[in-house]
Amino acid sequence: MTIEPRAASPNGRCRWAAACVACGLVLVGAPRSAQALDLSAAYYGDTITHPGLKLGAGVPLLERGQHLIFGAANLGYFHHERNSENLFANAEAAYRFTFSFGLYLDLALGAGYMHTFADGPIYTVEDGAVRRAANTGHPLFMPSAGLGVGYLLGPGPKGGPLTIYIESSFFGQYPRDHLFVGRLALEVGLAWTLPAPSGEG
Amino acid sequence: MFRTCFMALVTLAGLACDTRGDFFYVESEGAVMPVVVRGNEASGVYVVLLHGGPGDSAFFDASMSAFGKLEESWRMVYWDQRAAGSSLGNAPRETNRVDQFVTDLGIVIQVLRARYAVESIFLLGHSWGGRVGSQYVASDRRDPLVKGWIDVDGLDGYASTYGHSLEWVRATVPQWLAQPGLGKERREAAEEALAWHEAHPALGTGPFQEVFGRFRTHASHVYAMGGYSHDDARVAEEAGLSAGLLLLSPYDGFAQIGHAMKWLDYWDDRPEETAALLADVDLTAVTTPTLLIWGRHDGAIPVSVGESKLARLSALSEQDKTLLIFESSGHSPMAEEGERFASEVDAFIEARR
């Protein structure tokens, strides 16, 4: 019987760094709108307490007075200690209603891809010997729905509005043992709208 | 700054999370199953908990004080089975068969032996875990270090278990209906249960989902009539879902609910598996010393199931097979009479380690 020496769980910091790099790429590559571009960064807590990060970029699609429909692309990560590490990328379509005093309500529907890794060493038995198995993770479809509320804090960098928001979301993981597993998450973050370039829009 | 704050949050969550003991996963046939090992390492005795279900979680059971007590003496092994609790992956449907669960148990034991200085192993199975453990000790795959088997209100064949439980329903419902001041809601539940069982005098055969769907309906009636617990408050206190377990532990409540509620959806309809689960385990060749622990008031898997198992352990001497009845328990004696439970298990292991 053979076995590798006990080792620490797969390097979560590497995945964390990869998530940050990937989020950065999405932000850099996000479609630029002549109207505005919303950038957001948030604490993302699966079941509230399994901590993570969500970075997003949104563009307005249709605006009529206090009503706004926008699209967003997000990258995120959350960590469930001794359970899983999770990376995801999704796209959302959202409706926003803004009150005159700076408060807004969001309703978002999304779909994306999640990759879940085991948060610990994996052992298996091959030809009668115990061996360390590769932690390649599992692909999952990730639909989501969220309800959020935000508030205008004031002008942010370069004059664009800075808002704080909180969103409660439901998301799914499919397939987990051929099942759709529904989960809840809480998101708290800041969003900053890039000011529209002068002479446009 | 943001990254520093975030990493601090991750660290805090990690510190706050229950990370006692050792932790790893075991992979087998598409399932990635978590295992926590904690307790008295110096003892050299490893007690593998086989949780109920199918679909429940050993991490959930581990929060009961009886298992905490056992950790003082022995090394407890909490393993979430395939397609259960917090296990990961998307195991092929055809691997969801009881024989594969037995194979998985063998792999868990192999990994334990490779990682630790194991002197002896005991299996402790509850409900569905009783079925998995019985089948393991009855098979020729039993590891020689397995020195004892503790079967707690363990499932036998679904067909015979249904028959025993049906007798409990027939005896219990009239008692319920005779109670003075029985509320309208409870009366209706009892009458509905009686009518349903009169229409289903046996579990019968047929497609997998139909047969075990009937068992599930039966179990829900038994649950409504109190057949799972003798003292609801005690069970809720010991085996209730706490905020700490849900928010700050490796336990995944969302996945477990899915696994436990929907297990019929991810098992294939295969006649051979239906037949295997309906049939009793052949216990006549079992040579592993066996302790059967049963709650007197268990309506789901009644004491008569334990008596039947005891009678069929014909290869064991009287000293090596015992049935203990817990008079103040329903389906989960480890929750309702935890102190006695830990004491009896301690004594059984101490005598055979």
Side-chain angles (χ1 to χ4, degrees):
Chain A
M1 193 171 290
T2 60
I3 189 167
E4 292 179 23
R6 285 191 210 179
S9 61
N11 195 335
R13 272 174 293 187
C14 285
R15 292 203 189 96
W16 158 239
C20 287
V21 169
C23 285
L25 288 174
V26 153
L27 293 183
V28 170
R32 298 274 166 174
S33 161
Q35 299 298 315
L37 176 70
D38 265 356
L39 302 178
S40 62
Y43 166 82
Y44 186 86
D46 165 66
T47 323
I48 303 173
T49 50
H50 306 144
L53 174 67
K54 182 177 170 187
L55 299 177
V59 289
L61 301 174
L62 187 65
E63 189 167 8
R64 292 280 185 277
Q66 293 170 294
H67 306 277
L68 170 69
I69 291 175
F70 64 98
N74 305 290
L75 279 177
Y77 163 85
F78 68 85
H79 171 84
H80 185 171
E81 182 77 8
R82 288 190 166 195
N83 183 292
S84 59
E85 292 185 273
N86 307 268
L87 287 167
F88 63 86
N90 76 344
E92 289 178 310
Y95 164 78
R96 172 173 297 174
F97 180 83
T98 306
F99 294 94
S100 55
F101 52 93
L103 190 79
Y104 64 79
L105 299 175
D106 279 356
L107 183 64
L109 292 173
Y113 174 82
M114 175 177 283
H115 205 86
T116 292
F117 297 90
D119 184 37
I122 303 172
Y123 296 95
T124 189
V125 172
E126 286 175 7
D127 302 324
V130 174
R131 298 193 190 284
R132 184 87 177 257
N135 188 0
T136 52
H138 300 278
L140 297 161
F141 173 59
M142 180 197 182
S144 63
L147 190 62
V149 57
Y151 186 72
L152 176 66
L153 293 175
K158 298 183 180 176
L162 184 68
T163 59
I164 185 169
Y165 71 95
I166 182 167
E167 182 174 316
S168 172
S169 63
F170 167 88
F171 70 94
Q173 295 176 313
Y174 180 85
R176 276 192 71 167
D177 296 307
H178 310 278
L179 297 174
F180 178 92
V181 172
R183 314 184 66 84
L184 296 173
L186 185 73
E187 196 178 324
V188 181
L190 294 172
W192 172 57
T193 305
L194 276 175
S198 57
E200 292 183 37
Chain B
M1 178 65 180
F2 186 85
R3 179 184 166 151
T4 305
C5 291
F6 176 71
M7 291 313 290
L9 270 171
V10 171
T11 306
L12 275 174
L15 291 174
C17 189
D18 182 356
T19 54
R20 290 173 294 156
D22 199 9
F23 176 76
F24 56 89
Y25 285 87
V26 169
E27 185 174 76
S28 168
E29 294 292 333
V32 179
M33 302 169 282
V35 179
V36 167
V37 182
R38 69 185 188 216
N40 187 345
E41 188 167 12
S43 71
V45 175
Y46 287 70
V47 182
V48 182
L49 177 62
L50 313 176
H51 63 70
D56 290 348
S57 171
F59 292 179
F60 188 92
D61 293 344
S63 63
M64 293 184 207
S65 57
F67 295 119
K69 184 76 180 160
L70 289 172
E71 286 173 22
E72 293 174 12
S73 305
W74 324 112
R75 197 86 157 130
M76 293 297 297
V77 180
Y78 302 105
W79 159 51
D80 272 5
Q81 301 159 12
R82 68 175 46 243
S86 303
S87 65
L88 302 173
N90 191 37
R93 287 178 188 275
E94 62 270 21
T95 65
N96 290 314
R97 57 182 197 275
V98 67
D99 186 62
Q100 182 63 49
F101 283 71
V102 173
T103 300
D104 293 345
L105 172 57
I107 292 172
V108 170
I109 288 172
Q110 262 191 280
V111 173
L112 290 173
R113 291 190 60 171
R115 281 178 66 87
Y116 308 106
V118 178
E119 292 171 21
S120 60
I121 295 169
F122 288 78
L123 306 179
L124 193 163
H126 174 235
S127 195
W128 159 257
R131 172 62 193 240
V132 175
S134 292
Q135 204 155 317
Y136 178 83
V137 295
S139 75
D140 56 8
R141 287 172 282 177
R142 181 175 61 85
D143 190 285
L145 285 188
V146 174
K147 302 286 181 60
W149 161 229
I150 302 148
D151 187 346
V152 186
D153 293 72
L155 181 71
D156 206 347
Y158 272 91
S160 70
T161 300
Y162 181 87
H164 288 283
S165 187
L166 180 62
E167 290 307 310
W168 181 89
V169 171
R170 285 173 173 155
T172 303
V173 171
Q175 289 173 17
W176 263 59
L177 293 172
Q179 284 177 48
L182 183 69
K184 181 178 175 235
E185 197 174 310
R186 300 187 94 183
R187 174 175 294 280
E188 285 176 356
E191 286 172 345
E192 186 186 332
L194 200 55
W196 188 89
H197 284 90
E198 280 172 0
H200 299 90
L203 193 55
T205 56
F208 185 92
Q209 276 70 20
E210 275 184 29
V211 172
F212 298 102
R214 280 196 289 275
F215 193 88
R216 170 161 281 187
T217 304
H218 154 75
S220 68
H221 284 302
V222 172
Y223 183 83
M225 288 185 294
Y228 277 80
S229 58
H230 180 58
D231 181 346
D232 290 346
R234 180 78 181 132
V235 171
E237 183 186 336
E238 270 293 312
L241 178 59
S242 68
L245 186 65
L246 182 65
L247 302 177
L248 295 169
S249 84
Y251 170 75
D252 185 343
F254 292 112
Q256 199 230 308
I257 289 168
H259 282 131
M261 300 289 289
K262 295 283 189 181
W263 77 273
L264 290 178
D265 292 355
Y266 56 78
W267 283 55
D268 264 351
D269 174 24
R270 281 170 293 128
E272 66 274 21
E273 185 59 22
T274 303
L277 285 176
L278 286 172
D280 290 343
V281 179
D282 180 4
L283 299 174
T284 55
V286 171
T287 56
T288 307
T290 300
L291 172 63
L292 301 155
I293 291 178
W294 240 268
R296 170 68 73 193
H297 306 280
D298 188 351
I301 305 179
V303 169
S304 52
V305 175
E307 291 167 342
S308 167
K309 284 186 172 182
L310 184 72
R312 281 150 44 215
L313 290 163
S314 52
L316 289 173
S317 67
E318 292 304 313
Q319 291 87 347
D320 281 334
K321 59 177 178 179
T322 307
L323 171 61
L324 294 176
I325 310 293
F326 280 47
E327 297 295 339
S328 300
S329 294
H331 188 56
S332 302
M334 65 284 200
E336 297 202 69
E337 293 176 81
E339 280 192 25
R340 183 190 170 199
F341 179 88
S343 167
E344 299 285 5
V345 171
D346 271 342
F348 177 77
I349 294 173
E350 187 61 55
R352 292 165 179 83
R353 54 186 294 194

